Amino acid sequence: MVPQGAMNSLNPVMRIGDQLMLTIREHTEEGEIPDKNTQLKQVEELFYRVGLKPAVARLYPHELSGGMKQRACIAQAISLNPQLILADEPTSALDVVVQRQIMQTLRKLQNELDATVLLVGHDMGLMAQFAERVGIMYGGKLVEVGPVEDIFHNPQHPYTQLLISSIPNFEIKGEFRGIPGVGLSLLDPPTGCLFHPRCPKAIDRCKSVEPQLKEVAADQLVSCLLHEEDQHAPAS
Ligand code: SF4
């Protein structure tokens, strides 16, 4: 897992190299734990793969820039050769130049490991550039899933449509368009479709019937009553 806030995820009183060696030791069978020199070599190899110099091993987190900290977290995340890398907004605290470098590093490692990256985030531009499939969530539930081109060029769920139309566009000048209403409270969620209090396309059934994720096109799933065949059937 690559965490969101690298500074909060690294141990502030432990050298970066020691933190990575600890990870390696904790996940190696007893009796097979390599000696310290070998562990250090493994750490340096990981640093090389994420673009950090070997000397970083002796530094503490506060001595690293934001991008270096994030690279150290990525090194830790790949130290066990994962098949799945969960990246939780890995670049939200970084400027756009470093953001691009980090995402390029993540892409390179993904290819090297032949791994899947599950990228969590709010930055739709980043998603459009990095992801192959996108899942849109509202109130903790998936409301639309599909290939990135379909989600951005032909969104089917009203929430996805509003999200896409709220992205500022340099070519089409106009008023900023937000999403009406406020986010829901998970302590007291609405009945029926969670999005109905804010949905400009809501129908009566939306207040009482919870829509299910259904395939509406090849490889595209949507959770909206407007896409359900039995939308006119009486609510149970
Ligand atoms: S089910 Fe109803 S409220 Fe929910 S997104 Fe579809 S139209 Fe809007």
Side-chain angles (χ1 to χ4, degrees):
M1 177 172 176
V2 182
Q4 187 174 125
M7 187 64 211
N8 303 334
S9 311
L10 295 165
N11 186 334
V13 293
M14 224 173 153
R15 294 180 201 275
I16 300 289
D18 289 339
Q19 298 191 40
L20 265 78
M21 286 193 274
L22 181 62
T23 305
I24 292 167
R25 284 199 303 276
E26 286 292 318
H27 292 271
T28 306
E29 296 285 331
E30 230 175 296
E32 292 178 21
I33 297 174
D35 61 47
K36 197 155 180 199
N37 273 343
T38 311
Q39 289 175 36
L40 195 56
K41 278 209 168 60
Q42 285 176 311
V43 168
E44 287 175 359
E45 164 72 12
L46 286 167
F47 281 174
Y48 175 75
R49 290 171 69 190
V50 300
L52 287 175
K53 295 203 166 100
V56 170
R58 292 200 49 74
L59 300 179
Y60 289 95
H62 73 269
E63 296 177 281
L64 272 55
S65 69
M68 289 166 80
K69 278 196 277 278
Q70 200 54 284
R71 284 178 193 278
C73 285
I74 294 174
Q76 193 156 34
I78 62 158
S79 59
L80 304 171
N81 295 319
Q83 288 296 288
L84 172 66
I85 300 171
L86 172 57
D88 179 12
E89 296 204 323
T91 59
S92 59
L94 307 173
D95 66 64
V96 286
V97 176
V98 181
Q99 181 181 80
R100 184 175 163 79
Q101 293 165 350
I102 293 290
M103 293 313 292
Q104 283 172 336
T105 303
L106 208 49
R107 173 72 82 208
K108 175 181 82 84
L109 295 167
Q110 177 187 18
N111 292 335
E112 283 173 16
L113 292 164
D114 195 19
T116 298
V117 173
L118 181 57
L119 178 64
V120 180
H122 297 95
D123 185 337
M124 299 294 275
L126 184 64
M127 292 295 158
Q129 286 173 27
F130 191 83
E132 286 164 22
R133 272 173 74 73
V134 176
I136 304 288
M137 297 187 82
Y138 186 77
K141 296 194 172 177
L142 281 169
V143 296
E144 184 161 1
V145 183
V148 66
E149 291 86 4
D150 293 340
I151 295 289
F152 279 83
H153 295 304
N154 188 24
Q156 296 293 317
H157 191 279
Y159 178 58
T160 316
Q161 291 166 349
L162 288 167
L163 266 186
I164 302 293
S165 66
S166 70
I167 300 171
N169 188 325
F170 285 121
E171 278 144 32
I172 306 167
K173 298 250 186 276
E175 267 193 32
F176 174 72
R177 293 167 65 189
I179 300 177
V182 291
L184 80 173
S185 161
L186 289 175
L187 291 174
D188 185 20
T191 55
C193 172
L194 293 176
F195 191 51
H196 87 256
R198 307 174 71 186
C199 181
K201 296 184 178 172
I203 53 178
D204 271 353
R205 291 183 74 232
C206 301
K207 294 181 188 158
S208 55
V209 180
E210 189 179 340
Q212 304 299 318
L213 211 52
K214 291 193 174 165
E215 194 159 36
V216 297
D219 207 22
Q220 192 163 6
L221 301 146
V222 175
S223 158
C224 173
L225 294 181
L226 298 181
H227 289 274
E228 291 192 3
E229 284 170 7
D230 59 346
Q231 61 173 293
H232 299 301
S236 55

